[in-house]
Amino acid sequence: MNLNDLTDRYVAVWSEPDADRRRAAIRELWADDAVHVLQAPLELREAAAGLGFDQLVLEARGHAELESRVTRAYQEFVAPGTFVFQAAGAAERLREVVKFRWVMVPRDGGDPVGAGLEFLVLGPDGRIVSDYQFIEG
């Protein structure tokens, strides 16, 4: 498996404007019952802590929920023409775990305005079974 191909396809799905291609890419990348676990942004974690919750984790499971999650991110950050997502640096693989970073940059160029660290756990068929996303900035 080519790690650059995997990370490029992963990052591209978040910027895909065509809903049918986005849906197909999700089914190609993630296993049927895959889970995407997102470390909530700092402001949400702080709000949760104010309510007495010591941890806030967001989760999407299965293709329908993954499609909703990816589409929502696309609509908020990419569709207005403001940002695109890009892989940042080299991916690393240790057995079935792939680690890589990504950035959100202005479509017209400039410094990243968002960044994340991704851990993907791959199944025997090479599709993602678990996807852990940490927002870093």
Side-chain angles (χ1 to χ4, degrees), residues 42-130:
L42 181 59
E43 59 273 10
L44 289 178
R45 293 193 315 257
E46 289 173 345
L51 297 172
F53 294 95
D54 64 350
Q55 189 176 30
L56 178 63
V57 176
L58 308 175
E59 180 178 301
R61 183 175 296 277
H63 288 155
E65 289 182 14
L66 285 161
E67 184 177 348
S68 179
R69 164 79 177 112
V70 172
T71 298
R72 174 69 175 89
Y74 170 80
Q75 290 171 341
E76 182 176 351
F77 301 112
V78 180
T82 311
F83 302 108
V84 294
F85 294 101
Q86 299 174 347
E92 296 180 73
R93 182 172 183 172
L94 181 60
R95 294 192 178 171
E96 70 277 358
V97 178
V98 174
K99 176 187 84 167
F100 69 98
R101 287 188 155 73
W102 53 265
V103 293
M104 184 174 71
V105 297
R107 182 176 298 280
D108 297 329
D111 293 332
V113 297
L117 173 64
E118 210 73 33
F119 288 93
L120 307 177
V121 180
L122 305 178
D125 65 357
R127 292 191 301 164
I128 302 163
V129 294
S130 299

Side-chain angles (χ1 to χ4, degrees), residues 9 11 13 16 28 31-33 37 49 55 57 59-60 65 70 124:
R9 289 185 306 125
V11 172
V13 75
E16 175 55 59
E28 290 173 11
D32 296 346
D33 61 347
V37 182
Q55 189 176 30
V57 176
E59 180 178 301
E65 289 182 14
V70 172

